[in-house]
Amino acid sequence: MDTKIIKIDSNNIDSIKLKEAADILKSGGLVAFPTETVYGLGADGLNREASAKIYTAKGRPSDNPLILHISSMKALDDLTEGESLLGKKLAQAFWPGPLTLIFNKSSRVPLTTTGGLNTVAIRMPAHPVAYELIRQSGVYVAAPSANASGRPSPTTALHVIEDMEGRVDMIIDGGKADIGLESTIVDVTGDVPVILRPGFLTLEDIKKVTGEAEYDKSLFQKPTENFKPKAPGMKYRHYAPKGQLTIYEGESGSVIEAINKAAAKKQSEGFKVGIIATDETLKAYKDGIIKTIGTRKDEKTIAGGLFQILREFDTEQADYIFSESFYDNSLGQAIMNRLLKAAGYHIEKV
Ligand code: TXA
Ligand code: MG
């Protein structure tokens, strides 16, 4: 398949180009587009054939449900069943934005879109290109992250091109994704909101609106045979770099010392080594390919740099990657959730 790649400036949206993309969605095709979290791979979410194409393009397991992207609150009447006061409150507080809500689904939503679940994931994105694309297309846009299954989520159009060229009808380049981590997923089908995937909006942000909120108990541990995370996608080894990633946890000096030791050893054995450092520690490392993920002075740079750096170490063909840990800020839960998955939960406490 020929993939058309176009640029759309979010500050000055070209309506002719946008219409072309919207028409593809309307007629059952695939369009990758920027959002404020990561790039999404969109198709008409109520059209079974169209959303089936998403699974093929990504190589995604069919039990992993899709998020439906909407541009107006009225969509909730179409897509959800019953009232969720919690859902309404959170939607009013944070939409459009980096929040996905899980509701009971209406009969209009095909089980092929929800991976057989009776619930449906819904998000209204804030990125102007995403928002306008959904609005113009007039369909509910099912969109997972636009990476090939198992690779880090794409934060630039270049990442999408790497994974999806030849597999989708169109890729819209709208620049770098602002946040760089996928949306916070909150289940609002019960009495208390439950965070199924941590993201830019934190537990505290949610609590400010609803009073109570909690994390899905299974979030920060390694999935096992009989343990099922509530978001089906969270059980897969996501964001996997090709090299083996190990996270070092502890006081900064000890982490640096341990990483230097491990890097020197692997390098002397003839392996290609990568190190995930920060602006603050970059100069403290000696061996291997040393890259900074961002600065600890601004946690957003670390969130925004994570998927990019994992992809860069793939390009470098690093055999071993050693990383500092990043628990120390409000985005820490979201960053470490992704990093732990990427590492296959391989941690060294020093
Ligand atoms: O920021 C984002 O959410 C991006 C952009 C494109 O919007 N999308 C995204 O989609 O990250 P995806 O498919 O990569 O991740 C969706 C996650 C998966 O872990 C999936 O299992 C979970 O949402 N999910 C979808 N429907 C669900 C449901 N009904 N119940 C529980 N989890 C659900
Ligand atoms: Mg994904």
Side-chain angles (χ1 to χ4, degrees):
M1 168 193 302
D2 268 349
T3 301
K4 187 159 183 183
I5 300 168
I6 62 168
K7 263 196 180 38
I8 298 186
D9 177 357
S10 35
N11 297 313
N12 183 15
I13 293 180
D14 180 328
S15 56
I16 293 170
K17 286 182 183 168
L18 194 81
K19 182 172 184 303
E20 192 184 343
D23 287 344
I24 294 174
L25 289 177
K26 227 183 273 182
S27 57
L30 295 182
V31 178
F33 59 94
T35 86
E36 72 276 27
T37 56
V38 300
Y39 273 73
L41 174 55
D44 178 350
L46 300 189
N47 173 337
R48 283 181 185 75
E49 275 161 48
S51 34
K53 290 185 195 164
I54 291 178
Y55 288 93
T56 312
K58 280 184 60 101
R60 180 180 176 109
S62 63
D63 71 337
N64 194 359
L66 304 171
I67 298 172
L68 289 180
H69 293 69
I70 62 172
S71 61
S72 105
M73 289 286 186
K74 282 203 305 281
L76 291 182
D77 299 335
D78 269 354
L79 303 175
T80 70
E81 177 93 18
E83 282 277 285
S84 168
L85 197 60
L86 288 175
K88 272 218 175 104
K89 277 190 187 166
L90 288 171
Q92 262 154 17
F94 298 117
W95 279 356
L99 173 70
T100 295
L101 295 170
I102 308 289
F103 294 95
N104 289 315
K105 80 171 195 70
S106 75
S107 57
R108 286 196 65 186
V109 181
L111 287 166
T112 43
T113 297
T114 66
L117 298 173
N118 287 317
T119 51
V120 59
I122 303 180
R123 172 160 111 85
M124 188 191 291
H127 192 292
V129 173
Y131 186 88
E132 278 304 313
L133 176 65
I134 298 160
R135 203 178 61 81
Q136 279 234 9
S137 71
V139 300
Y140 302 125
V141 180
S145 49
N147 52 288
S149 199
R151 294 214 73 203
S153 293
T155 55
T156 68
L158 206 64
H159 299 162
V160 181
I161 294 167
E162 271 172 25
D163 286 12
M164 289 298 154
E165 191 167 21
R167 299 171 159 261
V168 301
D169 298 291
M170 180 181 270
I171 297 171
I172 303 176
D173 181 348
K176 191 170 182 292
D178 229 21
I179 294 174
L181 295 178
E182 307 89 343
S183 60
T184 306
I185 302 181
V186 182
D187 184 341
V188 290
T189 59
D191 297 333
V192 175
V194 182
I195 297 187
L196 306 188
R197 179 173 73 182
F200 183 76
L201 293 173
T202 63
L203 183 71
E204 287 65 40
D205 293 328
I206 307 295
K207 277 185 177 166
K208 269 183 208 148
V209 177
T210 58
E212 283 178 289
E214 57 190 43
Y215 284 119
D216 179 16
K217 304 269 179 306
S218 64
L219 262 186
F220 300 98
Q221 66 198 49
K222 188 174 179 167
T224 59
E225 285 284 307
N226 42 19
F227 137 87
K228 268 203 204 149
K230 275 192 83 182
M234 299 297 277
K235 71 174 174 287
Y236 296 108
R237 181 168 174 218
H238 267 200
Y239 326 112
K242 289 170 194 141
Q244 191 192 61
L245 170 63
T246 306
I247 303 167
Y248 285 75
E249 216 179 290
E251 184 266 315
S252 174
S254 319
V255 165
I256 290 169
E257 198 184 312
I259 290 182
N260 272 331
K261 207 169 144 195
K265 180 162 183 285
K266 286 297 174 201
Q267 189 153 289
S268 74
E269 290 166 8
F271 292 110
K272 202 157 187 192
V273 170
I275 295 178
I276 301 183
T278 57
D279 290 0
E280 289 76 20
T281 57
L282 196 59
K283 293 212 172 74
Y285 294 105
K286 300 192 179 75
D287 298 298
I289 306 158
I290 305 155
K291 290 178 186 280
T292 173
I293 187 173
T295 168
R296 287 195 192 264
K297 291 192 192 114
D298 179 2
E299 56 189 22
K300 287 194 193 125
T301 61
I302 294 176
L306 177 60
F307 292 145
Q308 166 82 27
I309 211 169
L310 292 176
R311 278 181 183 258
E312 284 177 11
F313 280 125
D314 275 354
T315 311
E316 303 272 8
Q317 299 189 303
D319 302 302
Y320 288 90
I321 306 161
F322 302 108
S323 178
E324 300 178 8
S325 39
F326 307 99
Y327 279 113
D328 45 7
N329 57 54
S330 69
L331 276 180
Q333 300 299 330
I335 295 167
M336 289 309 294
N337 169 266
R338 309 308 193 274
L339 196 60
L340 281 164
K341 276 171 182 293
Y345 299 85
H346 218 256
I347 312 179
E348 293 281 343
K349 301 210 164 147
V350 296

